[in-house]
Amino acid sequence: MKWIFCTALAAICLGHKPANITGNAPVADTSLEAGFLRPPDEAKPRVFWWWLEGYQTKEGILADLSAMKAAGIKGAIIFDAGSSSYNKMERTQSGPVYLGPEWQTLFHYATRVADSLDLELSLNIGSGWNDGGPWVTPQLASKKLVWTDTLVQGGRHINMQLPMPGKLLMDEKSGRPYYEPVTVLAVQLNPGSNNIRPLENMDIKAVHSIYSIPFTPNGLGYNWDLFMKEEASVPGEAHAFLRNVTDISSRVDAQGNLNWQAPAGQFVIMRFGYTGTGIKVSTHSPGGGGLAIDYMNRAAMDLQYNKVVTPLVHPRKSNSLKYLHDDSWELGASNWTNDFVQAFQQLNGYDIKKYLPVLTGRIIESRSASNRFLYDFRRTIADLIHDRHYKRFAELAARDGMGIHSESGGPHPAPIDALKNLGLNAIPMGEFWIRAKTHRVEPHRRIFVKQSASAAHIYGKRFVQAEGPTSIGPHWEEDFAFMKPTLDRVYCEGLNRLVIHTYTHSPKSAGMPGNEYFAGTHFNPNVTWWNQAPAFLEWNSRISYMLSRGLFVGDVVYYYGDNVPNQVPLKYVRQGLGEGYDDDVCNTEVILTRMQVKNGKIVLPDGMSYEVLVLPEWKEVNVDVLAKLEQLVRAGATIIGPKPVSAAGLKKGAAADARVRQLAELVWGKVDGTAVQERAYGKGKVVYGKTVRQVLHEKGIAPDFTYNSRKGDAYIDYIHRSTKDAEIYYIVNRNERPEYIHGAFRAAGKAPELWDPITGSITPQPVYATVKGRVEMPLFLEPFGSMFVVFRKAATGGQFSSLAHNGAGLFPDLPQDTFATAPFTVLPGGKIAFAEGGKYTLQQQGGASRTLEVAAPQTTIVNGPWAVSFDKQWGGPEQVQFDQLVSWTERPEPGIKYYSGTAVYRKTFTVTAEQRKNKQVWLDLGEMYNVAEVTVNGRHTGVWWQPPFRANVSAWVKDGENSLEVKVVNLWPNRIIGDQYLPENERFTKTNVKKFDKDYPLRQSGLIGPVKLEWYEVK
């Protein structure tokens, strides 16, 4: 399609005064606009700054931090780690020993440089990940429960040595296995116990395994509900009853010798103890290896802090060091600590010892009781990790004037309450991975942001940050356009501060592209497109700024229960809500301490509010939570969920079950989800048997954002933030194809504007209608395109509520054509661009219509020859002529075929005064790889990094001869591949990445075109 322009705001075009379209509303909050145009430091990305093998120098520190500052990066997480030989990588040169005198000198130098540059630093409290180090003894390392079973016949005196449990951690200092006793139990087995079906999913319920948790049937996340699934059982079905479990520890000496007069019956003698899991610090540099600490042990956290942080901050705390960090949970299954028996008693009110056989797969008392014990067991683990590791970490950091941003919610399965942990962070933090065919391919394995976003919203935190876009496999194969769809997705999940993974320090001696970490999207001055990175970073900063204004808008809050483990799934995974509404997920702590009701809404102290609270599909509930739910409903809340039957766990015993039944009957009454689906109680009501969407509709809550398209599989994502003065929607096309939609927004009474985060343009939209309290408007999005739709000025009624082309509706009727380019758009300054010639009819809301006759546009192909300059330093010719535009890989010259870096295309073209008269001109580069900077007549038009590579260049074109310069940057692989054909001493590149051999396919590169000038008449 082509484009025709008319000045929609000018009386010459439509016969209306500018006020009829732009409106005379009072000026809105200008700070929002100012921050969008020039994002403040708080909105700028941070980076993971890898010191591989501890290698760093003062020169490197100064160069890296200066480069970050110049590019628009506000801060860095100092992350000492090993370089790893994973996946075709070579280990890099080793530097100073971790935390040694030289390493500490470099760290303090980094803080001084960051101080001088006004940058923000964070510190990972270890080398690699999993907190730990050479200072960790088995006594403070992560632990697991171990046991042995010995079957004996009773009715006699037993004198024997009980076997020692296997798979014990070896204490390297003593040379002996590390083992501590817990108890010895004599379990009298019930007749027929050998035929009892074991508990379902026993290994994961008892946290002997954690990574084997299956996915949901739809494959969109982990099946956390299986931990609470009710198991069918028969009365009396048990290996043993509680009364027949006897503690005989006093009959066993330190060597395991049992001396006991056994009563009649068949017994299994169970010797319980604990040992270390053997889990170590992963991917560490020299001096950083060792056992991972016990996250359930406060002394272990203190040790880690005092070994790593205290020596660095107590002598000289810098202004730049703001946060401390520990990385994602990769400890696997850790299910014990040195005082677990006492801690369990304190938290649950009963003795764990007689229930320990349940942890071995046996059913004690009943199947239900055993599962409820396992619930208490896992909950205890999570609470100890929260209190003794993450809470203690936050306390120690605060003592030293810092916050934490741990990746404390996973993303790997872990025996944790993820939201409760993340609530301790100054900034809740997750992670996400870029699209790849090599690692974490499916979305539910690579996007972990909704959880940290929910934590920020329910705990009153302003920022949501995440590590990403991470990858394993690709190296220098991602450009900005490839990163954008993943970033847009996580922005819609709630991200508003990007922490780029990863910026690797690479010394000059490592060559180019130099040393790299085995994982991460490489983002440092050694990448080919580093000079163009500020434009991409500014795009991220604009989005981050806008999505940190005001409050997140979500109509639904889901309670993910009190079960452990528990994590938040991807957006849109939950059944019964669907597109158009957004949600948060909350936990027990937030319900008990932060939820109230106001005007029928569930509100939090920081201003967040929700229309409904949705409970999990479980029959068990925390009795304290149920008591709070009763209060909320009585005060006016709407709660959706099944009527509880019993308390979760065994805490408070029969009294808890009785209280649950009492409260459930009081609130739910006869609600069963079929015959009775809702019940009023107090000022509120409970609902079960209807979808969440149905309940919202019945409450009169229309979807926040909806869209219509002629394409049945259109997929438009969104996120909404609300401030006192503006409604901010970020709208994202999740498909790699153009989409023309009609969108509807819950923003009645305000006029829409398009805020483009790539260009920084702000454009009022004169074509829209207000229908039933919602603003409807047409919107065109490029493939993987995105745009802010902002409502901040009052609607004046002068907008155009309909638009037709040659009698066929474009709005509010949805046209039959799906459009490859926008049928019309509004440009900065008020110009409307039409894609085709013909007759256009615009109807002003409540006013007259106007008809425009527009002529077809003209197109000029900018043919060759082109003068092209390559960098001789990288093997290319200083000057060459391209008669036709082709990929560099199709040229015969090896210096071009295998070239990586920047080449400059130059061309002149002539424009007559007649051509420019009343015309707009757009430049279309056509096909291009990968990033371009375009200069017209010596004036820089910007960095062109997102297809289609096309922009209005009218402001730079002049009568007569015009010069066009296109600086094109490709990626590193081609040059690295070409070097494999050269002797080592003649190669241009040097790197520890050994992925690109001679047979690796070359990537298309350069300007391929066709390059076109498109001329449009201006009415």
Side-chain angles (χ1 to χ4, degrees), residues 557-824:
V557 59
Y558 288 92
Y559 173 44
Y560 77 179
D562 206 35
N563 171 59
V564 169
N566 221 337
Q567 292 174 319
V568 176
L570 283 164
K571 182 178 180 180
Y572 296 135
V573 167
R574 297 183 183 276
Q575 301 294 317
L577 182 60
E579 294 183 55
Y581 295 100
D582 213 336
D583 63 85
D584 274 327
V585 180
C586 73
N587 60 348
T588 295
E589 182 178 55
V590 166
I591 289 178
L592 294 179
T593 64
R594 293 177 59 80
M595 272 192 183
Q596 298 297 329
V597 177
K598 185 176 181 180
N599 299 325
K601 290 190 176 186
I602 296 158
V603 298
L604 301 177
D606 313 285
M608 283 298 303
S609 65
Y610 308 94
E611 294 290 342
V612 297
L613 169 64
V614 185
L615 308 180
E617 284 284 334
W618 304 341
K619 293 184 178 181
E620 301 86 357
V621 67
N622 178 303
V623 67
D624 295 329
V625 168
L626 185 56
K628 181 62 179 283
L629 295 180
E630 185 273 335
Q631 296 174 20
L632 294 175
V633 178
R634 181 155 38 89
T638 299
I639 292 180
I640 304 171
K643 181 179 180 179
V645 173
S646 64
L650 297 175
K651 190 175 180 179
K652 298 181 182 178
D657 285 343
R659 181 63 173 153
V660 166
R661 288 191 296 270
Q662 178 194 26
L663 288 169
E665 188 61 32
L666 190 66
V667 179
W668 271 262
K670 297 185 181 302
V671 172
D672 59 4
T674 51
V676 181
Q677 293 185 321
E678 65 179 71
R679 180 174 187 264
Y681 176 74
K683 296 179 180 179
K685 67 178 179 179
V686 292
V687 184
Y688 186 55
K690 297 181 180 181
T691 67
V692 182
R693 197 175 189 91
Q694 282 179 292
V695 175
L696 289 170
H697 275 267
E698 289 173 4
K699 285 194 72 175
I701 309 301
D704 192 12
F705 166 72
T706 57
Y707 61 93
N708 291 314
S709 169
R710 286 293 178 190
K711 300 174 183 177
D713 57 346
Y715 192 179
I716 309 298
D717 205 351
Y718 87 103
I719 189 169
H720 178 193
R721 303 280 298 196
S722 180
T723 75
K724 188 180 86 167
D725 301 301
E727 303 301 321
I728 302 166
Y729 290 83
Y730 189 50
I731 308 299
V732 170
N733 178 10
R734 292 270 294 274
N735 287 328
E736 193 175 11
R737 68 181 190 203
E739 299 284 2
Y740 177 74
I741 64 169
H742 288 177
F745 302 82
R746 210 159 57 194
K750 292 189 175 182
E753 299 171 330
L754 297 188
W755 294 34
D756 187 341
I758 292 181
T759 65
S761 64
I762 296 176
T763 312
Q765 297 299 290
V767 181
Y768 68 95
T770 300
V771 181
K772 295 181 179 179
R774 294 159 64 76
V775 175
E776 297 182 358
M777 62 178 289
L779 185 63
F780 181 84
L781 295 168
E782 301 287 359
F784 289 139
S786 55
M787 187 69 65
F788 280 103
V789 182
V790 178
F791 300 85
R792 58 175 178 153
K793 298 178 181 178
T796 61
Q799 72 270 16
F800 298 101
S801 57
S802 71
L803 172 63
H805 176 224
N806 294 333
L810 294 177
F811 179 78
D813 299 324
L814 196 64
Q816 293 297 321
D817 196 339
T818 57
F819 301 119
T821 56
F824 76 97

Side-chain angles (χ1 to χ4, degrees), residues 41 162 196 205 463 558 567 647 675 699 735 920 975:
D41 285 348
L162 299 175
I196 292 177
K205 284 183 178 179
F463 297 110
Y558 288 92
Q567 292 174 319
K699 285 194 72 175
N735 287 328
Q920 295 271 315
R975 182 65 271 165

